[in-house]
Amino acid sequence: MRPVNISVRLDVSITPRPWSPRRLLARGAWRLIVLGVLAVAVIFFVVPIVWLLLESTRTGPQSQFGSPLGFGSFNQLLANWQVLFSGLLGQTGTWLANSALYSGSGVLIAVGLGIPAGYGLAAFDFIGRRPLLIATMIAMLIPSNALVLPLVLEAHALKVLSSPLAVILPYGLFPFGVYIAYLYFNTPRVHGLLAAARIDGCTEWQAFRAVALPLSTPVIGLVVVLDFIASWTNYFLPWAMYWAFDLPGRYPVTLGIAQQLMAGPSYGGSLLRDLQLQTTAPPSVEALLILVSCAPVIIVLLIAQRWIVSGRLQGVFV
């Protein structure tokens, strides 16, 4: 057999673009515009957070007459903390505990029902599967505030209005988590693993518990974060369930903050001009209350982040 010699020649020519002052000025102007937009966004979103951090260290007169971004003292921060939990706002611990109960219970219901529901929609082909999936998507697209009045009427019919169940059960209604689980399990990789488990003799429950559930750690973390944030920051639903009954002992922290901002002494300064902040406590204590109410959301996000990132290592999100 005669050898065959094959030679390939590739000629590549690169023509440099001529230098142009106009092109350089246009590029520099575009970068300045981008940096300006980013600077405005940073000022708009970061300055209120910085104000909250600094305001929690100040006294009432400092808040009213001092610099808006002035720093008080750490001793005043401790004093505001004592006022927050044992003084004028002694119910702060109760409000935080209520929010943790409502949001945590809602997350457990959303995960316990949403993940198996999404798995069932993705793994099985049954009568009514498509209409059920369409109904899930429609429920996902409806604004949550639009469902408050029907939920109030339903809670009244079930005689659970003004009880914790009136808030916990709606928090567990999370159709978006069902849809996320459906998309997560409806992949060729998951279907192949489930088919292999069935060939090895696993029942459907064993396949879900031993194969699908361990792989669903990222989607569980995502559902936990989204549902917890939506539940923790929800104001309208607990207001509709509790406000008419005047039950401050059952308020979540969102209603507690609203109660503090509804009536009280007027606090205002040069920055607020004619606008007077009506609170039952100095603005420094209210700022600390807002910071404390945000802390659980940050903690849950940091904990669940490890579960979400683990999906990148598993190769499921591709």
Side-chain angles (χ1 to χ4, degrees), residues 110-314:
V111 172
L113 298 180
I115 301 302
Y119 171 80
L121 290 172
F124 304 105
D125 189 8
F126 52 90
I127 299 176
R129 173 177 176 269
R130 186 176 181 83
L132 186 59
L133 182 59
I134 294 175
T136 302
M137 296 178 64
I138 293 175
M140 178 183 66
L141 296 176
I142 296 176
S144 59
N145 290 337
L147 298 175
V148 170
L149 181 58
L151 289 173
V152 170
L153 296 177
E154 184 178 5
H156 177 70
L158 296 177
K159 301 186 184 305
V160 296
L161 191 62
S162 75
S163 70
L165 288 177
V167 178
I168 293 175
L169 294 179
Y171 282 176
L173 177 65
F174 195 58
F176 187 55
V178 178
Y179 187 69
I180 292 176
Y182 164 76
L183 295 178
Y184 188 86
F185 291 120
N186 193 25
T187 57
R189 181 173 183 265
V190 175
H191 285 302
L193 292 174
L194 294 176
R198 296 187 184 102
I199 292 174
D200 289 339
C202 290
T203 62
E204 295 298 338
W205 166 249
Q206 290 174 340
F208 172 73
R209 182 177 58 85
V211 178
L213 196 59
L215 290 176
S216 64
T217 303
V219 73
I220 290 176
L222 188 60
V223 171
V224 167
V225 170
L226 296 179
D227 188 65
F228 186 85
I229 293 176
S231 302
W232 188 273
T233 58
N234 195 316
Y235 167 79
F236 191 30
L237 177 67
W239 177 84
M241 298 295 182
Y242 289 146
W243 197 266
F245 296 92
D246 192 18
L247 298 172
R250 295 184 181 177
Y251 286 174
V253 69
T254 51
L255 277 182
I257 294 175
Q259 186 185 40
Q260 300 306 314
L261 297 178
M262 285 187 63
S266 297
Y267 294 91
S270 58
L271 179 66
L272 299 177
R273 296 183 180 179
D274 296 333
L275 178 63
Q276 298 295 316
L277 182 62
Q278 303 286 334
T279 64
T280 56
S284 57
V285 179
E286 301 294 342
L288 184 59
L289 175 60
I290 296 174
L291 290 175
V292 170
S293 66
C294 295
V297 176
I298 299 175
I299 294 173
V300 171
L301 181 60
L302 293 176
I303 295 176
Q305 183 182 7
R306 300 184 59 183
W307 301 347
I308 300 174
V309 174
S310 64
R312 298 170 58 185
L313 302 178
Q314 295 174 0

